[in-house]
Amino acid sequence: MAEDSFLRFPDGFVWGTATASYQIEGAWNEGGRGPSVWDTFAHTPGKICDGTTGDVAVDHYHRYREDVDLMAEMGLNAYRFSIAWPRVIPEGTGAVNAAGLDFYDRLVDALLARNITPYATLFHWDLPQALQDAGGWANRGICQQFADYTAVVVERLGDRIAHWITHNEPAVHSFLGHFMGVHAPGLTDPMATFQTIHHLLLSHGLAACAIRATARTRPDVGLTLSLAPVHPADDTDEDREAARRFDGVFNRMFLDPVYKASYPDDVRQVLEVIMPKPEPGDMETISTPLDFLGVNYYSRHVMKYTPDIFPLQAEEVYPKGNEYSGMWEIYTPGVYELLARLKADYNPSRILITENGIPVPDGKDFDGKVRDFRRIRYVRDNLAEVHRAIEEDVPVQGYFHWTLTDNFEWAYGCTMRFGLVHIDFATLERTMKESGRWLAQVIRDNGLDPGASGLPFFPR
Ligand code: GCO
């Protein structure tokens, strides 16, 4: 290892993996859990590309000890998971299901016994179906209901969980679930989409206050956003404008309210009729100071001016000749660009990369090893870019890899493998991939050698 090229991360750097309840837990109708919008959606024929559901997923509900052992084997010091609202309050409001809280209680104790710090996300899209039936996120009343659910969880687990993330990716949940209809609850309603954006953000602020009011020791509260640089397809005024509009809707629409207590004016000009109409006090609640910003980074967007696409006149394109994964372009400089921009435009006090990963088709070789070198290269290159941002004083204090095991990837079902651990979906057997062993070494060294050439990793 050439010492001069070694990239050392700051002492105390947080190394974790991230998961989401519906994607891993299974046990969809066990332990008193109520139905969620994702159960309804996945059970609807044609919604999930391979016809699978999260009914069993990777059976983490029953196998969580094995999964915690795998984290410990990699030396991970943190774990980001989500709590399923319908496990805790099956109808969304009212009766609390003790068995649901007991599950997370056992999980947290198992983590702490292995010196793995829990980071809990309170909402990762599995809304109780009963609340959807009452209007879901388009209904303003849900904001207080979310804060009430949050208080129940913090009351029970706040003695052992200090780190809380209110929401995961409000943009994806709003646009894919309420506008494009490709995620639960499967709506294609522009008005509901923008009401959902506002209510997710408002409920984030209310929940942040609820966490701080309920926790007995000072909690660490954040919000996770999906963020990406947006580039023009060609260096023309029209494409630059298309990129700016798209950036407004997908990035600034969420960052501005939280950091500047307002929605972006240029988005308002284009989308006037459907823009949220905040009530007095809403923007103050939304901009309640965060302890950290959670950043999910996967890829960039490249936009082309397309006049007949209403109202953004912007279409995403995929430049030829570049490298792609199962879902996106592989564009690792984007994380540096994004982090530098966040510092310049919003100056967050602290940042955690709460997701970063890649779907690549990998499987077992005859000797039982899973040689997922493309994942290793992707993570290595992203970490090098994150390190570069840290050198330039962007306050990144942790990295959570998406994800621990292969799992149920929403509308893609079980066709996209994101894990550091391979899952045989017939037997649910877990096998550590080479990327898992590689990341374990990075964690032991608290850094990596980005390597000048050749294979990033030679199997031992
Ligand atoms: C999201 C979610 C994850 C996904 C991951 C890969 O970012 O969409 O937080 O649940 O599985 O991002 O698509």
Side-chain angles (χ1 to χ4, degrees):
M1 188 185 291
E3 197 47 42
D4 53 359
S5 61
F6 189 79
L7 305 178
R8 193 174 305 286
F9 281 79
D11 288 346
F13 197 73
V14 177
W15 294 104
T17 57
T19 63
S21 44
Y22 188 74
Q23 296 182 272
I24 60 167
E25 284 181 3
W28 75 290
N29 57 4
E30 283 180 56
R33 179 185 178 280
S36 83
V37 292
W38 266 98
D39 299 308
T40 310
F41 190 78
H43 289 168
T44 308
K47 298 294 186 193
I48 308 300
C49 80
D50 60 355
T52 56
T53 68
D55 290 5
V56 177
V58 300
D59 197 29
H60 173 78
Y61 183 79
H62 297 112
R63 299 175 197 233
Y64 70 93
R65 284 181 196 286
E66 193 184 338
D67 292 341
V68 172
D69 285 347
L70 287 162
M71 293 179 224
E73 194 181 327
M74 281 183 258
L76 293 159
N77 57 41
Y79 176 49
R80 172 179 176 232
F81 61 99
S82 81
I83 292 176
W85 189 343
R87 235 182 240 300
V88 175
I89 306 182
E91 296 290 310
T93 60
V96 173
N97 172 39
L101 282 170
D102 290 347
F103 167 67
Y104 296 108
D105 202 276
R106 292 193 295 275
L107 171 64
V108 168
D109 284 346
L111 292 166
L112 293 174
R114 300 301 210 123
N115 291 320
I116 299 169
T117 304
Y119 285 68
T121 305
L122 288 152
F123 183 70
H124 200 128
W125 310 346
D126 40 2
L127 187 73
Q129 181 63 44
L131 291 183
Q132 188 60 42
D133 297 342
W137 287 106
N139 166 19
R140 189 176 168 97
I142 200 172
C143 299
Q144 189 55 48
Q145 292 164 341
F146 179 66
D148 294 345
Y149 145 73
T150 295
V152 167
V153 174
V154 176
E155 180 66 41
R156 173 69 182 269
L157 301 173
D159 57 336
R160 282 154 296 152
I161 301 182
H163 308 278
W164 299 96
I165 293 166
T166 54
H167 282 301
N168 175 70
E169 301 194 347
V172 175
H173 190 55
S174 304
F175 290 113
L176 272 62
H178 298 75
F179 182 68
M180 294 163 69
V182 297
H183 277 188
L187 304 183
T188 50
D189 179 342
M191 204 69 194
T193 302
F194 279 73
Q195 287 163 335
T196 294
I197 291 174
H198 187 62
H199 295 151
L200 285 169
L201 291 171
L202 180 59
S203 67
H204 150 73
L206 293 174
C209 297
I211 297 167
R212 288 173 178 147
T214 312
R216 272 151 284 194
T217 49
R218 197 180 174 285
D220 185 38
V221 182
L223 165 69
T224 280
L225 300 179
S226 49
L227 297 169
V230 186
H231 293 158
D234 287 305
D235 195 17
T236 61
D237 287 350
E238 283 160 337
D239 285 2
R240 273 195 297 273
E241 271 299 289
R244 187 185 56 76
R245 283 193 294 274
F246 193 84
D247 178 64
V249 170
F250 285 92
N251 292 322
R252 287 181 284 115
M253 188 70 192
F254 300 87
L255 287 162
D256 281 17
V258 170
Y259 284 101
K260 301 181 174 172
S262 64
Y263 287 109
D265 281 338
D266 61 330
V267 176
R268 185 177 299 286
Q269 276 161 24
V270 182
L271 299 175
E272 182 67 57
V273 255
I274 54 172
M275 276 303 268
K277 317 256 174 313
E279 293 188 5
D282 284 5
M283 301 315 287
E284 288 69 31
T285 304
I286 292 173
S287 57
T288 303
L290 291 178
D291 296 307
F292 66 90
L293 175 67
V295 172
N296 291 357
Y297 176 75
Y298 290 93
S299 185
R300 65 168 172 172
H301 298 287
V302 179
M303 305 309 297
K304 177 140 207 67
Y305 170 67
T306 313
D308 50 351
I309 295 195
F310 181 80
L312 289 187
Q313 300 188 306
E315 183 181 14
E316 182 147 19
V317 295
Y318 300 92
K320 286 201 179 55
N322 295 357
E323 185 182 350
Y324 291 86
S325 69
M327 285 161 73
W328 302 295
E329 181 189 354
I330 297 178
Y331 187 75
T332 53
V335 70
Y336 167 80
E337 187 186 327
L338 174 65
L339 290 168
R341 185 242 182 134
L342 287 171
K343 181 173 166 62
D345 292 356
Y346 300 97
N347 199 24
S349 56
R350 228 171 97 224
I351 294 176
L352 295 171
I353 305 292
T354 41
E355 288 181 27
N356 175 245
I358 181 175
V360 278
D362 47 49
K364 274 195 206 175
D365 290 330
F366 81 89
D367 61 353
K369 291 201 169 180
V370 181
R371 294 179 169 83
D372 56 338
F373 295 134
R374 290 179 76 199
R375 175 166 296 102
I376 294 173
R377 180 159 54 87
Y378 177 85
V379 177
R380 178 197 67 182
D381 293 351
N382 272 282
L383 284 173
E385 297 289 343
V386 170
H387 188 273
R388 185 173 153 212
I390 294 173
E391 299 261 275
E392 293 178 15
D393 291 330
V394 183
V396 183
Q397 297 189 353
Y399 174 91
F400 291 77
H401 184 265
W402 184 269
T403 178
L404 178 65
T405 65
D406 297 333
N407 64 27
F408 177 81
E409 175 56 27
W410 308 117
Y412 290 93
C414 296
T415 66
M416 292 292 161
R417 294 182 176 274
F418 274 93
L420 297 165
V421 173
H422 178 271
I423 295 278
D424 176 333
F425 283 102
T427 63
L428 297 177
E429 183 200 10
R430 279 112 161 108
T431 306
M432 183 81 72
K433 299 181 189 178
E434 292 308 292
S435 59
R437 296 185 215 286
W438 174 86
L439 188 62
Q441 186 63 46
V442 172
I443 296 169
R444 277 195 291 277
D445 295 342
N446 196 35
L448 72 159
D449 189 328
S453 61
L455 264 180
F457 175 79
F458 297 93
R460 276 182 268 277

